[in-house]
Amino acid sequence: MNARRILTIGVSALVLGAPVIGGPSLIGGLAVASNKVVTQDAKQAAKEAQAARKALKGGDAQRAVTHAEAAVTFDPRNGEYRQLLGETYLFAGRFVSAAQALNEALSLDPANGRTALNLALAQIASGEWTTARQTLETHAATIPASDRGLAIALTGDPSTAVAVLMDAARQPGADAKTRQNLALSLALAGQWQQAR
């Protein structure tokens, strides 16, 4: 029993005294090891994200999701990887998962209009039209009017969409996409002649 007690005291002294005896070299060694792990994780996350983008471009939804999930696992605080994960879920038709991932990405980067638009689209696809309208309204300043207008029409409010897109189409430099989305919104509003 005495030997065990002496061993316990010795181990305790070693653990408690290590920072004093080892000083900065021991603590520094732990910090270096920690930074190496973080760097390795960041590199692996970037590699997985690149593979997800490639799979997405190639039309392989399941592979894209697998790689995007791995990227988020390696770097969970990276909003870009969470956005990518949400986009892969959207592409795979997993709308509830897409909304969750895009909502998390938006909390990491609230000024990202593309993420907000994709979140609204995931909400529309899930049948959450009121929530999607709120998302579009909240992020109106960061979502381009041409995209926001069509998304508003898809939430079941084509008259508001037409108003948004009509105003955008009258602006100098309005592009063909804006006019096309206006035509689609007019058609959804039942105004076929104007849509034509």
Side-chain angles (χ1 to χ4, degrees), residues 61-76:
Q62 187 50 51
R63 206 171 103 228
V65 166
T66 301
H67 287 295
E69 286 174 341
V72 169
T73 300
F74 282 112
D75 194 354

Side-chain angles (χ1 to χ4, degrees), residues 149 153 157-167 182 185-187 189 191 194:
D157 188 4
S159 58
T160 301
V162 168
V164 168
L165 289 165
M166 195 73 80
D167 185 47
L182 173 59
S185 296
L186 285 165
Q191 299 176 25
Q194 286 183 293

Side-chain angles (χ1 to χ4, degrees), residues 132-146:
R133 280 188 210 119
Q134 290 170 346
T135 299
L136 293 166
E137 189 176 307
T138 301
H139 299 281
T142 60
I143 301 172
S146 61

Side-chain angles (χ1 to χ4, degrees), residues 19-94:
V20 175
I21 297 168
S25 63
L26 180 65
I27 295 170
L30 294 175
V32 169
S34 175
N35 285 341
K36 283 183 183 176
V37 170
V38 170
T39 303
Q40 283 294 85
D41 284 354
K43 284 182 182 177
Q44 189 61 35
K47 185 177 176 181
E48 293 290 347
Q50 185 61 33
R53 287 185 195 100
K54 185 176 179 182
L56 202 55
K57 198 176 219 181
D60 189 345
Q62 187 50 51
R63 206 171 103 228
V65 166
T66 301
H67 287 295
E69 286 174 341
V72 169
T73 300
F74 282 112
D75 194 354
R77 299 293 305 159
N78 188 314
E80 180 185 338
Y81 297 156
R82 290 222 181 247
Q83 176 186 354
L84 177 63
L85 178 60
E87 289 173 0
T88 61
Y89 282 147
L90 263 178
F91 186 70
R94 296 171 57 181

